[in-house]
Amino acid sequence: MTGFASPEARAAFIAGLPKAELHLHIEGSLEPEMMFALARRNGVKLAFDSVEAIRAAYEFSNLQDFLDIYYQGMAVLLTDQDFHDLTAAYLDRAAADGVRHVEIFFDPQGHTARGVPFAHVVSGIARALAAGEARGISSRLIMCFLRHLSEADAQATLDEARPWLQLIHGVGLDSSEVGHPPEKFARVFARARDLGLKIVAHAGEEGPPAYVWQALDVLGVDRIDHGNRALEDAALVERIAGDELTLTVCPLSNLKLCVVDDLARHPLRRMLQAGLKATVNSDDPAYFGGYVNANFIAVANALDLTRNEIVTLARNSFTGSFLPPEAQAPHLAAIDAWAAA
Ligand code: HPA
Ligand code: ZN
């Protein structure tokens, strides 16, 4: 036990560590209990008749298996209040895990395609984020394009977002990766960058290293979401390390979606050893079995992470965030104070 007397001591160290979460799909924080409550409130019929039946359906053999259920779950989200309540519940969980800053993804096309106005989605989320700021959790909102849809659909979504850009800090790319390479979205990401938005993309979760290269060279990403398969290409690892790009890694997601077959073989330590700025995140915590601390604890136990490695992961979460350096500094000092105590 590297630097810890017991697994309990390691878990307590992790729990008290200030951290940022940089890879969280707000729709993926929809717990089955809330799914039921919102279905009742909105008169939506669910395909499941109990919370237990929903949880039992959360067995996935790949990303697409999960996405099929994830898009079904969204059907209960209709009003501004629904998006507010979803986001507020996530912020409560995050605060309990010592999270001080969040950068949240949302999938507007998953809602506008069902007739939910873009305005309801963004205003509900933003209202909860503003209340979170008042409670001491800072935040950024990142709008993701669904990569299984066309670039024209993404362009129309960016048009729809124009009146809301004071609330949206960046754009991302998610959904079914294989068959939908980053280059499919070259023009819409170029336009987003011209609008002053930060750029992130899921790459190398299931897709090959070539997709990570495209995220870098075609989209010009400021950060890579997942990035696991980058490790298959030494030149790519050197590039990511040289550019000091952060990877938002999601251990329990990787396990549930069979990106790794065993957390003991998770690439997180290899990423750190290769000089990559990896972070730990929960992705879709309601579906993958845990929020950010559960992810830290599971991967730290499986890999026997040292105190220094855990502190590095927490520091990376702030230095890899879109907070300006002067806003990162107090968080980094708080991490160092906790680690020294
Ligand atoms: N990968 C791709 N798309 C997603 C994910 C993910 O892990 N979660 C929600 N949408
Ligand atoms: Zn994700």
Side-chain angles (χ1 to χ4, degrees), residues 164-194:
W164 299 95
L165 289 187
Q166 76 281 6
L167 299 175
I168 298 171
H169 202 76
V171 291
L173 186 63
D174 66 359
S175 192
S176 320
E177 187 179 8
V178 174
H180 303 285
E183 67 185 3
K184 175 177 165 188
F185 297 93
R187 284 147 299 258
V188 70
F189 275 87
R191 191 156 74 94
R193 179 165 298 291
D194 287 343

Side-chain angles (χ1 to χ4, degrees), residues 40-55:
R40 212 173 303 121
R41 179 156 105 188
N42 292 329
V44 173
K45 181 94 188 75
L46 286 178
F48 302 98
D49 56 17
S50 69
V51 163
E52 294 69 34
I54 298 181
R55 286 222 161 80

